[in-house]
Amino acid sequence: MRLLTHNMLSCNIKGVTNGFPLRLEVEKFVEKEVDFSAEFLRNIFPKIEWKALVDASRSMGYSQLPDEADSSMLDSDDFLKKFHHALLELHLEEGVLICPETGRRFPVNKGIPNMLLHEDEV
Amino acid sequence: MDPKIDVRTESSSMPSSIRTKEGDQWNSKPVSYKMYSKSAQIRLVSSHPEVYEPCDDSFALVDALLADRTNLLEHHPSLCMEVGCGSGYVITSLAIMLGQEVAGVHYIATDINPHAVQVTSETLKAHGVHAEVISTDIASGLERRLSGIVDVMVVNPPYVPTPEDEVGRDGITSAWAGGENGRRVIDRILPIADKLLSDRGWLYMVMLAANNPSQICLAMREKGYASRIIVQRSTEEESLHVVKFWRDSDIQVGAREPTTTSRTTSTTVMESLFSQFPRLAFWRNDNNSY
């Protein structure tokens, strides 16, 4: 699971209003090289919740992202490379995503997050 | 056929290896699937007893995407998503057909069947392409954040008309059980697609004549979508359609005024839909049907 995906996941339990971002419990992660596309990064940047990305990347041991970011930084190659690395190249293989409101644990196995709910949560 | 080259094929037109003769020596070289394939290769698609194997509908959907490939490449999608990825055949094919030429495209695949997400993951890996795979019901957990940013969505839904109690069962049944008129899951997917698709979002969906495609297209039209059949495959019993939906700014969304003009509009819509679905033309004679 890339951090791009993590940035798009929120707790889907019925009635939860504060289910984003999910807290990361990292058991195993890998770094995988991904083709760089400045165009993609510039397109996706406005949709990214920056703090969630920063916190998530730190939990995977990457602390190169600035605490805050604005679109003017997209002109900087250096920034784009760091953004690219955090967003696309850090993969959580095994771990847990935790709902900030309910504490519900969503497992991540072999890089696949399991967001399937039990009957009483729907 | 050139006697010095012996091509081994495992399926229609995709060689798996090429043997060439140099002098008395035959040398065999495996052909990189990337050289020849525009879609996933069946021999590389993973499987599991509880996971729907690629079938006519999967091939029809991939054929539709291949037919629209030039448009897709020009369209430059950022995010592509498959709902109900099954074996991974379709999302893998999409990644292959777009991936070579369009950098910076990202793929997401979901399935409610936990075996399917595993199989999809294996299929993607076997082809050397990547998609983010999530185990979930349609797009549950993704809906809030992915809202309005999916550029291409592909769906081969459980469309078979079945008893209601077969819908949502665990395992492979979830791949086909569609309840009344096969619409139970389709009708859940469409509003979610509407929410996730970007302004320039395209949706490709497989459906049967039994699902009442003209009704589906009309409902989507009311949400501002134009539609077109890209592929149609008919047998004696049934007719399979792959329909493409896209937001059309010429279509007025929402409020309909209670005047005679609105009747003319819906008549025009029905006429254009009937011309696309000739098997339903007999309805034209029934003035009260709409």
Side-chain angles (χ1 to χ4, degrees):
Chain A
M1 184 200 69
R2 288 174 168 153
L3 295 188
L4 169 59
T5 303
H6 167 259
N7 210 266
M8 297 296 138
L9 281 170
S10 55
C11 178
N12 47 355
I13 294 177
K14 190 175 178 183
V16 168
T17 48
N18 206 19
F20 179 88
L22 300 168
R23 196 163 47 86
L24 271 154
E25 216 174 77
V26 178
E27 282 154 45
K28 181 184 167 200
F29 79 93
V30 293
E31 295 191 17
K32 287 186 201 172
E33 212 178 298
V34 171
D35 286 344
F36 179 87
S37 163
E39 185 190 347
F40 177 81
L41 296 168
R42 289 186 179 122
N43 281 339
I44 203 82
F45 177 79
K47 286 117 185 182
I48 298 294
E49 281 289 335
W50 192 255
K51 184 170 189 306
L53 180 63
V54 173
D55 291 343
S57 60
R58 287 208 177 127
S59 67
M60 312 255 274
Y62 185 69
S63 41
Q64 303 270 327
L65 287 182
D67 286 340
E68 280 165 17
D70 61 76
S71 50
S72 67
M73 292 162 135
L74 294 168
D75 293 327
S76 155
D77 262 348
D78 185 62
F79 172 78
L80 284 177
K81 290 206 166 79
K82 289 173 177 166
F83 182 29
H84 170 83
H85 185 70
L87 194 70
L88 302 172
E89 296 189 326
L90 301 174
H91 283 262
L92 181 67
E93 289 287 310
E94 306 290 325
V96 186
L97 303 171
I98 304 165
C99 172
E101 187 177 314
T102 63
R104 165 66 146 93
R105 297 166 70 82
F106 297 96
V108 178
N109 298 119
K110 298 186 188 173
I112 302 170
N114 183 352
M115 306 300 293
L116 292 169
L117 297 176
H118 311 306
E119 270 182 40
D120 57 338
E121 293 172 321
V122 176
Chain B
M1 192 155 100
D2 186 335
K4 289 211 180 74
I5 297 178
D6 169 22
V7 175
R8 266 161 224 211
T9 27
E10 54 87 26
S11 69
S12 54
S13 57
M14 285 184 269
S16 55
S17 67
I18 287 182
R19 297 204 313 161
T20 55
K21 196 167 183 185
E22 283 151 57
D24 289 327
Q25 183 86 25
W26 279 100
N27 297 308
S28 188
K29 283 200 312 182
V31 167
S32 158
Y33 62 84
K34 280 183 178 160
M35 286 162 57
Y36 283 93
S37 278
K38 288 204 175 99
S39 60
Q41 293 213 335
I42 290 299
R43 68 188 175 94
L44 295 175
V45 174
S46 190
S47 65
H48 183 282
E50 286 295 327
V51 177
Y52 187 75
E53 279 188 357
C55 203
D56 288 344
D57 49 359
S58 331
F59 304 138
L61 181 51
V62 170
D63 283 348
L65 294 169
L66 284 168
D68 217 30
R69 185 171 174 259
T70 310
N71 293 330
L72 280 162
L73 288 169
E74 275 171 12
H75 200 59
H76 249 81
S78 288
L79 272 174
C80 300
M81 181 172 180
E82 178 172 21
V83 170
C85 49
S87 66
Y89 177 74
V90 175
I91 190 72
T92 301
S93 298
L94 185 60
I96 289 172
M97 75 175 76
L98 296 184
Q100 257 73 285
E101 286 161 72
V102 184
V105 192
H106 291 265
Y107 304 89
I108 298 172
T110 70
D111 205 292
I112 200 171
N113 180 341
H115 301 292
V117 292
Q118 191 49 46
V119 171
T120 290
S121 213
E122 289 161 11
T123 299
L124 288 161
K125 193 170 175 185
H127 290 81
V129 290
H130 181 84
E132 291 287 285
V133 185
I134 296 125
S135 196
T136 192
D137 181 10
I138 304 177
S140 182
L142 291 163
E143 280 176 75
R144 262 175 230 164
R145 294 283 297 138
L146 275 187
S147 189
I149 64 174
V150 176
D151 296 317
V152 172
M153 189 181 288
V154 300
V155 192
N156 183 9
Y159 52 61
V160 179
T162 64
E164 286 301 324
D165 65 359
E166 279 187 32
V167 180
R169 277 211 204 141
D170 284 345
I172 201 169
T173 314
S174 62
W176 68 69
E180 191 180 352
N181 297 325
R183 288 281 295 272
R184 193 58 62 235
V185 184
I186 289 175
D187 287 348
R188 285 183 59 221
I189 290 173
L190 289 170
I192 293 170
D194 180 34
K195 186 175 178 192
L196 296 188
L197 285 168
S198 61
D199 286 338
R200 47 187 220 110
W202 293 352
L203 167 67
Y204 298 82
M205 185 179 271
V206 183
M207 56 189 80
L208 297 179
N211 303 140
N212 201 340
S214 55
Q215 189 188 66
I216 294 175
C217 291
L218 194 55
M220 287 298 277
R221 194 180 172 90
E222 282 171 20
K223 292 187 184 147
Y225 291 87
S227 59
R228 185 166 70 90
I229 304 177
I230 307 220
V231 160
Q232 183 171 346
R233 308 246 154 104
S234 300
T235 64
E236 271 172 22
E237 295 110 27
E238 193 42 275
S239 189
L240 194 85
H241 304 89
V242 182
V243 182
K244 177 182 180 179
F245 298 94
W246 67 97
R247 295 187 201 272
D248 188 336
S249 47
D250 288 339
I251 298 174
Q252 294 282 330
V253 179
R256 288 219 234 112
E257 282 139 357
T259 65
T260 46
T261 30
S262 71
R263 267 219 77 186
T264 315
T265 310
S266 53
T267 310
T268 317
V269 166
M270 294 307 280
E271 286 291 328
S272 75
L273 287 170
F274 288 142
S275 65
Q276 287 192 85
F277 299 99
R279 289 172 93 212
L280 301 160
F282 69 86
W283 282 9
R284 223 189 281 262
N285 299 320
D286 183 353
N287 293 329
N288 298 323
S289 66
Y290 54 90

